[in-house]
Amino acid sequence: MPQEAQVIMEKVSGRKVNRISGTRMKRKEDARMITGMGTYTDDIKFPDMMYAAFLRSPYAHARIRSVKTEKAKELPGVVEVLTGNDLKDKMSPIPTAWNLPNADLKHTPYYSIAFDKARYVGDPVAVVVARSPYIARDAIELIDVDYEILAAVSNQEDAVKEGSPRLYEGIENNVALNWKFAGGDESVFDQADVIIKERLRNQRLQPSAMETRSAIAKYEQGKDETTIWMTSQNPHVHRYLFSSVLGIPENKLRVISPDVGGAFGSKIACYGPEVVLIYLSRKLKAPVKWTEDRRENYLSTTHGRDHVHYVEMAAKKDGTILGVRVKVYSNLGGWISTVAPGVATVLSVLMYSAQYKMQAVQCEVIGVLTNTMAVDAYRGAGRPEATFIVERMVDNLARKLEMDPAELRRKNYIKKEEFPFATVTGTLYDSGDYHTALEKALDLIDYRKQVAENKKLRKEGKLVGTGIGSYVEMSGAGPSKIVRATGYGLGLWESATVRVHPTGKVSVLTGGHPHGQGEDTTFAQLVSDELQAPYEDIELVHGDTAIIPFGMGTYASRTTPIAGGAIALACRKVLKKATVIAAHMLNTTPDNIVYDNGEFYSEGNPTEKRKLSDIAYSAYGAGFDQLPEGMEPGLEETTFYDPENFVFPFGTHVCNVEIDPETFQVKIKRYVAVDDCGPQLNPMIVEGQIHGGIVQGLAQALYEESIYDESGNLITASLADYAVPTAVEVPRFETASTFTPSPHNPIGAKGVGEAGTIAAAPALVNAVIDALSEYGISNIDMPLKPENIWKAVRAAKS
Amino acid sequence: MMEGLVKVSIDINGKKYTDDVEPRLLLVDFIRDIARLKGTHIGCDTTSCGACTILIDGMSVKSCTMFAVEADGRKIQTVESLATDDKLHPLQEAFWEHHALQCGYCTPGMLMSSTFLLSRNSDPTEEEIREGIAGNICRCTGYINIIKAVKDAAGKINAGKETE
């Protein structure tokens, strides 16, 4: 029996072959990882390698009066000590890649090593290079910095107040961007029967990839070439930015990103230390390595979220949602990081109409500089924030109107037959069936019965509740003409090369760079079906700028739809050429050629067959009349696939919680997830993405919070203080799927990397608020630690 | 021998590694840089994440919080010891089968903690598995597939023992 996902794959492709897409293939990449044979950046070692360490500011805001390095230089084993002043003329500040227009976007020069002022705890002020990593760390202790300590501000709502400490000359009230958006008919806010208001917060999070950032730069003097091995989600984008910052031509720079131990957005940005390593390897003519420890990672690898939203939702008495009006204070941290300007704005606000037929969306986003680490993309990047506020408000509206929250959603959802659907924010949702996903989730959790049961138990004094988190997300970034219009510095197409070797073995070069998402496997499944070639014969190659034509990388749930789309198109080009060669070999015309089960034959003569490997052999042999007159030899094609639209995955998660009335600990009793990412290349991997995504969403809802104190010290700078969940905390999940293909994507696929994270936080918080319904509490800020729930209950009681 | 260095000899996966090291050299750095066994990873240097978990004389230890000199003369097992004669350990098989890893960075530590757990408790309950790997953080999988894998491996190891 074919699996459900397989049937969908067949429908989308219109072909029935021995499909392995849609099956739960075990992952190719696991063979090396379960045996300790993976190669992560820090595993790489070269002879005569040197080690860098960065001295980081212990103050959140301080003028650097002087940096004395003599003692450090005298320590045996130390090779070089450089300060911000030594480097500021050798390299430009690192620019943001997202120059959001019409936002009064300010310029915040981000120098790789600070020379005038330190703007957050962890800002590098000097670098040491030594013969061992231990000596490098000893040496940074010997550097003497004279700081003039300045007043600091870490909270965005404080930072915009008159008289607040100012991070940059000329940036009044620390406002780095102000972006206003108005879509639809704003008069709905005047005509509404009900307007509900709430202040909601998406707290700051630390992405916490288990592998910290690491890099090794190695200069080859004879060729004047520099290679950097580094933890990267987007090697070509890094090369492009390094090239512009250091003035080294792109063709003299090579970025290799081997196995990457998780990223979640934190390995997208361009950071100072990697730039400094390239400079040092060229100056010292030696390989130089640096690996963060966890404290450094928490202090100086980008954080996520940190948005405060003032939300109004307008509705009619009958429950028709009219629109939302939102003011957002987005904490950008100490400078404007690589994709930061787009996160709270384009990536978030365009999704404010969510799954609902809203008539107006209005928003003002105020991006604020503070004396904290820069905030940038983190799993979902803007979309979890959007979904959270809308789904929380929908539940509050239901309570206000005394409607069932599921019924209120049903009433307002865009209907299946209304797709493609143009929203008031200007997005065009490609396809969807929100009602079916909702009903499936409600059935799984037996919603009606559960709601009745909750009511009964609450009368008995139990604090039980059920919460829904529905979402649609904009993934698969993205159509270049749209992202360019929003000020992004590059297009967001993806490249693919499919190379059939003379023996018929296949190498697939992708510009995506998966780091845990398993596309070495799923793309081999895809190519195996597209080319009708054995799965075992297909190898994926990625993460090396010298091999891949160009790549935008892996983030924003884009790799399967966009890199996968590119690969499918390249495969189809390969088959087109192979068909012409086959016709030549079989003395017929291409339109007479049938390709079935990996074999070409002429319709009139099905007994004489040629395998794809026969065609490849001829394509490279290229003599003795093997190829049609005038045809170029070789069997390899490259595509640059620029999607015509984003893709819009969706789903509904529902959970039941019980709160201990004495300790206020939240226990998740059941968690049901129904997700639709279109056809699934590998349902096992899709499920894995959903599991991991849900846990990161639940972690935001219940445990995690990055905390800076008033003087700008990061209180949560270790894994002992920052509460990443362990196996003890996680609930079991019940997952299911619906399958709605994207009509414009070559393989019908949508993305799934961020879905779980987007849905989980609102589902959980809605359940907790439901459990506390007798207290009339409309909001508790995440994370829902017992202390926060207790405080809210106590305030409600008094 | 250079001044201040200490001669250390450690049996790792049945092979003896001897070197003169600084007394402050962390055991994990000995394993990674001197023995060049890179399967043991570093995720935090503060005993929090478990990526560096190994076995010393059969006991699970986080090798980032122990000095190499403390392991002198002792027997260590790392992830590289699990597969023998090209045959994967049942835990490795089960992790592969159940999609118990994504980026793979925490996996060696997870496998070693699970190995230790099963050496003490051949048939753990789900709760006992959760407790047994609570010192190992995985940021990708959400743990459920890891728990399933450990349970499955325990069952297979026990079934294997019965047929022997």
Side-chain angles (χ1 to χ4, degrees), chain A residues 82-84 86-94 110-113 115 127 242 244-247 271-280:
Chain A
L82 295 171
T83 67
D86 295 329
L87 292 174
K88 72 174 195 289
D89 300 326
K90 313 286 188 200
M91 50 190 73
S92 319
I94 300 170
Y110 165 37
Y111 284 88
S112 293
I113 296 193
F115 65 91
V127 61
F242 294 153
S244 80
V245 169
L246 285 158
Y271 298 92
E274 287 85 341
V275 172
V276 172
L277 288 192
I278 295 172
Y279 173 81
L280 286 168

Side-chain angles (χ1 to χ4, degrees), chain A residues 27 34 40 42-43 45 134 138 207-208 261-262 264 293-294 516 688-689 692 696 704 725 727 730-732, chain B residues 24 26 29 32-33 36 38 41 43 45 92 96 99 101-105 111 126 130 139-141 143-144:
Chain A
R27 300 199 321 168
I34 54 177
Y40 300 88
D42 191 54
D43 297 337
K45 198 173 175 179
Y134 286 66
D138 288 342
S208 307
F264 315 108
D293 62 23
R294 179 57 62 184
Q689 290 296 309
Q696 281 184 29
E704 292 180 17
V730 299
R732 281 202 163 241
Chain B
R24 64 173 173 173
L26 296 175
D29 288 334
R32 289 176 53 78
D33 288 340
R36 292 301 286 146
K38 302 167 296 160
H41 296 151
D45 348 66
Q92 291 171 313
W96 200 351
H99 188 31
L101 58 147
Q102 289 180 25
C103 81
Y105 199 77
L111 284 166
E126 180 178 328
R130 286 174 184 255
R139 190 56 159 169
C140 296
T141 64
Y143 301 105
I144 297 301

Side-chain angles (χ1 to χ4, degrees), chain B:
Chain B
M1 195 188 293
M2 248 176 77
E3 202 185 334
L5 298 188
V6 181
K7 193 182 201 67
V8 169
S9 188
I10 307 174
D11 178 321
I12 308 179
N13 305 334
K15 189 175 164 192
K16 201 174 233 185
Y17 296 86
T18 305
D19 205 352
D20 301 328
V21 304
E22 282 189 73
R24 64 173 173 173
L25 183 78
L26 296 175
L27 178 57
V28 68
D29 288 334
F30 187 96
I31 295 167
R32 289 176 53 78
D33 288 340
I34 294 173
R36 292 301 286 146
L37 293 165
K38 302 167 296 160
T40 304
H41 296 151
I42 304 171
C44 72
D45 348 66
T46 53
T47 337
S48 307
C49 82
C52 64
T53 306
I54 55 160
L55 303 185
I56 301 187
D57 299 330
M59 284 289 292
S60 76
V61 169
K62 292 179 178 175
S63 61
C64 75
T65 330
M66 186 165 168
F67 294 116
V69 291
E70 295 177 277
D72 185 33
R74 298 174 74 175
K75 280 196 164 115
I76 286 180
Q77 280 166 270
T78 68
V79 67
E80 287 89 349
S81 73
L82 291 181
T84 44
D85 302 330
D86 291 334
K87 199 172 165 344
L88 292 176
H89 187 279
L91 274 166
Q92 291 171 313
E93 292 276 10
F95 268 56
W96 200 351
E97 184 70 36
H98 290 277
H99 188 31
L101 58 147
Q102 289 180 25
C103 81
Y105 199 77
C106 75
T107 308
M110 241 355 140
L111 284 166
M112 296 317 286
S113 285
S114 306
T115 304
F116 176 68
L117 170 69
L118 297 188
S119 75
R120 297 294 155 118
N121 178 354
S122 62
D123 189 19
T125 63
E126 180 178 328
E127 286 317 300
E128 288 167 339
I129 295 169
R130 286 174 184 255
E131 293 289 344
I133 58 169
N136 294 71
I137 295 176
C138 169
R139 190 56 159 169
C140 296
T141 64
Y143 301 105
I144 297 301
N145 288 348
I146 298 176
I147 297 164
K148 278 186 203 161
V150 176
K151 186 87 189 144
D152 184 28
K156 286 194 174 130
I157 293 168
N158 292 334
K161 278 181 196 153
E162 277 162 27
T163 56
E164 267 168 25

Side-chain angles (χ1 to χ4, degrees), chain A residues 351-382:
Chain A
M351 295 315 294
Y352 278 5
S353 58
Q355 300 185 305
Y356 309 108
K357 274 184 275 183
M358 291 193 196
Q359 295 170 36
V361 166
Q362 288 197 325
C363 188
E364 179 178 9
V365 181
I366 299 156
V368 186
L369 298 160
T370 61
N371 295 108
T372 61
M373 180 54 201
V375 180
D376 209 320
Y378 166 60
R379 202 168 192 169

Side-chain angles (χ1 to χ4, degrees), chain A residues 385-521:
Chain A
E385 293 91 326
T387 303
F388 181 77
I389 63 169
V390 174
E391 287 302 283
R392 287 285 300 109
M393 294 306 276
V394 167
D395 260 39
N396 283 3
L397 180 65
R399 209 164 293 112
K400 172 102 182 170
L401 297 175
E402 295 178 356
M403 282 180 76
D404 177 83
E407 187 50 38
L408 182 61
R409 285 179 172 82
R410 259 184 220 117
K411 182 179 171 64
N412 287 282
Y413 276 165
I414 299 158
K415 293 192 186 78
K416 181 167 111 176
E417 57 275 14
E418 291 170 322
F419 291 93
F421 185 87
T423 72
V424 287
T425 66
T427 51
L428 183 71
Y429 293 174
D430 55 349
S431 61
D433 183 356
Y434 305 155
H435 289 89
T436 301
L438 175 79
E439 300 309 334
K440 199 162 182 173
L442 297 180
D443 283 351
L444 275 170
I445 209 150
D446 207 348
Y447 181 75
R448 266 170 196 284
K449 206 172 140 199
Q450 187 61 45
V451 169
E453 175 87 359
N454 288 349
K455 274 188 188 146
K456 194 175 126 240
L457 288 170
R458 283 205 286 262
K459 278 190 189 132
E460 294 166 16
K462 293 215 156 123
L463 299 177
V464 290
T466 295
I468 300 173
S470 274
Y471 70 96
V472 54
E473 58 152 329
M474 177 173 69
S475 74
S480 296
K481 61 178 187 295
I482 298 178
V483 297
R484 291 286 295 163
T486 68
Y488 192 67
L490 292 161
L492 281 176
W493 43 264
E494 199 48 271
S495 78
T497 298
V498 173
R499 180 176 298 154
V500 185
H501 299 285
T503 51
K505 308 286 180 193
V506 183
S507 293
V508 180
L509 282 52
T510 171
H513 183 39
H515 42 276
Q517 297 87 342
E519 273 101 352
D520 285 10
T521 304

